[in-house]
Amino acid sequence: MKKLLFILVCVAVVLVACGPAATTIPTPTPPATATLVPTSTETPTPLPTATPTATATPNYPPEGYGPANFPAGVDPLTGLTVADPTLLDRRPMVIKVQNLPRNSRPQWGLSLADIVFEYYTEEGTTRFAGVWYGNDASQVGPIRSGRFIDADIVRGYKAVFAFGSAYIAELRRYYNSDFANRLVVEGSSTPLTRYDPNGFNYLMVNTADLNAYATKNGINGKQELNGMTFNLTPPAGGQPGTQAYVRYSGAIFNRWDYDPASGTYLRFSDSADALDSITSEKYTQLTDRVNNKPIAADNVVFLYVNHELYSPGIYDILLSGSGAAYALRDGQIYKVNWQRNDPDVVSLTNPDGSAFAFKPGTTWYEVIGFSSTVQQTDQSWRFTHLMP
């Protein structure tokens, strides 16, 4: 039925050339840091002086977990023991969530994802691809359309993929892939539903319903998700990093502030356009509409990834191979490298090739272009997304 749907979609539009074949991505050198100019007209949040300390977690082994042989009940995507171990007997679920327009914020369910990727789409916007595995969310959304990079994410996490359609060339890539039977779009037989608060017709899903749908259709089951390494003790060699900005465009920019009380980074999102300069940026703290909790991450990682122009305004972001990265955890920032070979999850290594240890907990990946710049002042870091 899905193949028939795809054929009908193809007939309805003008066909375009297939996407480029996968290429080996060189490992770029992170750009040199520079002195940071003032970033906003708003009163800046005071930056705490962070002393790396492990969050008290009973019985967490001093050697940590990963990159393989995770004990039963330990989520290989967070390094934490889950409340319901049976959740780990399923596939992860990758769900697309929109970031614009601003009146759709706060979104539903993001605080309950193990991992979230944010990446550039087109015309200055970004979108989220969340990975739900160790927790369920009663609502996730608003669900939006897929992009080329989602194929790498779905393949790496061996996930069921819920999305709201896509550009025809992207659909072709999905339906010609090895995960074509795990695609879930809106339809009478799928768990994606419409929700209409305040006159907005949002596409949403309950992850428990999505999991049941996957089981019913014979596409569910426990997967090997090795690759990440976790340790409560912060690695040596970091620099103070209690605040990080990323500017994708004058319409989309965000800030992560380290909160020593929780040991996490809190997310602040653009509250208005700042098209003229960074000095006019204004922010609002992002929360989750499911539970009213702040959006927070134990790890925030900036991935330098090749953005290949596919057609005017459309980019193929090649999240495969390796590249440079910066990782923040426990108020510290580290220069590291990322790698992801099919069909693996994203993992991090130190410059000497040894595994970089994530803090046990959630991870947000900010995907930026190879040409992106980084500036530093004191404990604050600013990343500006640039593509070749």
Side-chain angles (χ1 to χ4, degrees), residues 146-164:
R147 293 296 184 270
F148 283 123
I149 186 177
D150 296 324
D152 286 334
I153 297 172
V154 172
R155 189 174 291 110
Y157 294 88
K158 304 174 179 66
V160 175
F161 183 31
F163 65 108

Side-chain angles (χ1 to χ4, degrees), residues 2-3 6 18-19 94-96 119 121 127-129 144-155 159 161-185 314-316:
K2 292 176 181 176
K3 291 185 177 179
F6 177 62
C18 293
V94 169
I95 306 171
K96 293 302 301 295
Y119 57 80
T121 52
R127 195 158 289 175
F128 304 132
R144 291 299 300 272
S145 58
R147 293 296 184 270
F148 283 123
I149 186 177
D150 296 324
D152 286 334
I153 297 172
V154 172
R155 189 174 291 110
F161 183 31
F163 65 108
S165 193
Y167 168 59
I168 187 62
E170 293 157 340
L171 280 175
R172 183 183 293 112
R173 182 172 296 185
Y174 302 160
Y175 280 97
N176 287 334
S177 73
D178 57 354
F179 57 83
N181 65 330
R182 305 200 302 270
L183 302 174
V184 183
V185 295
I314 297 176
Y315 289 88
D316 192 353

Side-chain angles (χ1 to χ4, degrees), residues 217-298:
N217 286 273
I219 55 174
N220 215 349
K222 187 176 181 64
Q223 304 296 309
E224 181 184 289
L225 298 167
N226 295 333
M228 299 178 74
T229 299
F230 300 92
N231 201 301
L232 277 178
T233 303
Q239 301 180 63
T242 56
Q243 189 175 70
Y245 295 79
V246 58
R247 182 179 173 95
Y248 285 96
S249 71
I252 292 290
F253 41 89
N254 62 71
R255 189 183 83 221
W256 293 92
D257 288 357
Y258 181 65
D259 174 36
S262 64
T264 63
Y265 287 85
L266 304 177
R267 163 95 177 202
F268 294 78
S269 297
D270 52 88
S271 58
D273 289 352
L275 302 178
D276 51 349
S277 70
I278 63 175
T279 59
S280 59
E281 292 177 357
K282 296 184 182 300
Y283 297 85
T284 299
Q285 186 170 9
L286 188 63
T287 58
D288 188 334
R289 208 180 299 196
V290 165
N291 51 26
N292 295 317
K293 291 183 177 180
I295 298 300
D298 296 280

Side-chain angles (χ1 to χ4, degrees), residues 25-43:
I25 301 175
T27 301
T29 301
T33 58
T35 301
L36 182 63
V37 297
T39 57
S40 177
T41 55
E42 66 177 350
T43 301

Side-chain angles (χ1 to χ4, degrees), residues 67-346:
N69 301 314
F70 288 89
V74 173
D75 185 344
L77 303 185
T78 66
L80 296 175
T81 300
V82 297
D84 181 1
T86 63
L87 295 182
L88 304 183
D89 293 330
R90 62 183 179 178
R91 286 186 184 270
M93 292 162 280
V94 169
I95 306 171
K96 293 302 301 295
V97 178
Q98 73 179 33
N99 194 24
L100 279 180
R102 294 188 184 96
N103 60 9
S104 67
R105 303 174 188 163
Q107 297 90 342
W108 286 262
L110 287 176
S111 69
L112 295 164
D114 290 3
I115 294 171
V116 178
F117 291 86
E118 180 175 15
Y119 57 80
Y120 185 86
T121 52
E122 61 277 320
E123 299 180 348
T125 66
T126 65
R127 195 158 289 175
F128 304 132
V131 184
W132 280 262
Y133 184 45
N135 290 303
D136 272 322
S138 59
Q139 288 180 298
V140 175
I143 296 174
R144 291 299 300 272
S145 58
R147 293 296 184 270
F148 283 123
I149 186 177
D150 296 324
D152 286 334
I153 297 172
V154 172
R155 189 174 291 110
Y157 294 88
K158 304 174 179 66
V160 175
F161 183 31
F163 65 108
S165 193
Y167 168 59
I168 187 62
E170 293 157 340
L171 280 175
R172 183 183 293 112
R173 182 172 296 185
Y174 302 160
Y175 280 97
N176 287 334
S177 73
D178 57 354
F179 57 83
N181 65 330
R182 305 200 302 270
L183 302 174
V184 183
V185 295
E186 186 176 13
S188 60
S189 64
T190 73
L192 275 61
T193 60
R194 288 287 171 176
Y195 181 54
D196 195 25
N198 303 318
F200 292 98
N201 189 25
Y202 293 136
L203 186 62
M204 311 285 287
V205 73
N206 179 323
T207 60
D209 293 342
L210 182 57
N211 177 56
Y213 172 85
T215 299
K216 178 181 177 181
N217 286 273
I219 55 174
N220 215 349
K222 187 176 181 64
Q223 304 296 309
E224 181 184 289
L225 298 167
N226 295 333
M228 299 178 74
T229 299
F230 300 92
N231 201 301
L232 277 178
T233 303
Q239 301 180 63
T242 56
Q243 189 175 70
Y245 295 79
V246 58
R247 182 179 173 95
Y248 285 96
S249 71
I252 292 290
F253 41 89
N254 62 71
R255 189 183 83 221
W256 293 92
D257 288 357
Y258 181 65
D259 174 36
S262 64
T264 63
Y265 287 85
L266 304 177
R267 163 95 177 202
F268 294 78
S269 297
D270 52 88
S271 58
D273 289 352
L275 302 178
D276 51 349
S277 70
I278 63 175
T279 59
S280 59
E281 292 177 357
K282 296 184 182 300
Y283 297 85
T284 299
Q285 186 170 9
L286 188 63
T287 58
D288 188 334
R289 208 180 299 196
V290 165
N291 51 26
N292 295 317
K293 291 183 177 180
I295 298 300
D298 296 280
N299 309 277
V300 179
V301 184
F302 295 84
L303 304 175
Y304 285 76
V305 181
N306 186 23
H307 289 53
E308 188 173 274
L309 185 65
Y310 181 85
S311 63
I314 297 176
Y315 289 88
D316 192 353
I317 305 174
L318 306 176
L319 190 62
S320 183
S322 61
Y326 284 83
L328 292 100
R329 56 162 292 178
D330 299 290
Q332 300 284 295
I333 189 168
Y334 302 83
K335 289 185 178 181
V336 295
N337 294 305
W338 67 268
Q339 61 181 18
R340 196 199 75 78
N341 299 313
D342 283 339
D344 298 335
V345 306
V346 173

